Amino acid sequence: MSDIPEREARVFMRAGKRQPLTLVRGEGVRVWDEEGCPYLDFTAGFAVDSLGHCPPVVVAALAKQAATLLQVSNVFYSVPQVELAELLVEHSCLDRVYFVNSGAEANETAFKLARKWGKLHKDGAFEIIAAENSFHGRTLAAVSATGTARYREPFTPLMPGFPFVPYNDVEAIRAATNERTCAIILEPLQGEGGVNVPAPDYLRQVRHWCDERNLLLILDEVQTGIGRVGALFGYERAGVEPDIMTLAKGLGSGVPIGAVLAKEHASVFEPGDHGNTFGGNPLMTAVGRDVLRYIIEHDIPANAERQGERLMAGLRGIEDRHPEVKETRGMGLLRAIEFHEAIADAVNLRCIANGLLVNVVKPTALRLMPPLNVSEAEVDEAATLLERSLTEALAGLKQG
Ligand SMILES: Cc1ncc(COP(=O)(O)O)c(C=O)c1O
């Protein structure tokens, strides 16, 4: 290892944990460390690099737009911004788009939209029911809506108005609804919470409840959107339409961009209600536009579905051969393998040693989320490396 960790320790805020690896280069599904060692990257920038590392479509869009127009204030019209918004509207069930820079900011914006809608249409209702184990980001309102106590507690008092209910429990949503409720925010499947897939009719029942009680359904598709779960959007797999949807991560395939989409009836912002400096700037929206076009034209969600099933078959094979595995689950190319014991860290370290990058999503579980254009051979290689790493970690733990 180089001196990067030591240098960082002197100057960086210690807000997050690092893996013992400094990455310097990427191409396709592989990244390389400073010593030139390659790794098969099944983290993909945490479900961001939808087309792999340094995909030609992103490199070309960046170069072209960088030489044309980088940034203008949002007080002016911009061509790539409108083109990306048109594409999103054309290919989703939503009618209007607003651009931001990250997933957390997309959710912040969705909360403002829902609160304003509550003021206009529901007598000032402002509560947004959220799920336990959810993840919506780390800004103050987003973390207030995030159902993981350890992310919230250091920052209390938080933003009021986010009651929590267990995920995958429609009855709990019904019970938590009152005259203050304006919306419900859910992930189609929980990513950071451990890749938790709800019952097939969960979102349909929630949608039904929202219709009955005149509530907005906000789907946080920051992780599931843009092909990750085998359809362009997770809501398609669930057979429901949200009133508001948030996107980020895979939309830019490596560049920071987020978006909030809303149906016409929920699109209640008026000029002056919201704004930002960088959101939707020409550079990021030109990339987002070309990425989304590529994903649609090459039917990348279909590849995510195919390879996701192949990955799942590989994980199930590991499960069959190793009683230490409790469960494998997920959808498309968002998958997890759960162990009976808290051995995910140990397995992850062996994965790194064997040239595979995965994510310790819980002490007992690893998450796999490769680029959406991953090949069969790469999926098979990952399954082989993962099984080898598990075997080695178990042997190491036995030896103590
Ligand atoms: C479902 C979901 N929402 C929101 C976020 C926050 O996105 P960002 O890190 O871009 O703020 C994440 C990040 O992992 C996420 O998975």
Side-chain angles (χ1 to χ4, degrees), residues 102-105 107 135-138 187 192 220-223 248-249:
S102 69
E105 195 188 345
N107 287 327
F135 187 84
H136 299 297
R138 303 295 202 117
E187 297 156 84
E192 302 298 306
D220 178 344
E221 295 238 23
V222 166
Q223 188 154 149
K249 289 191 182 277

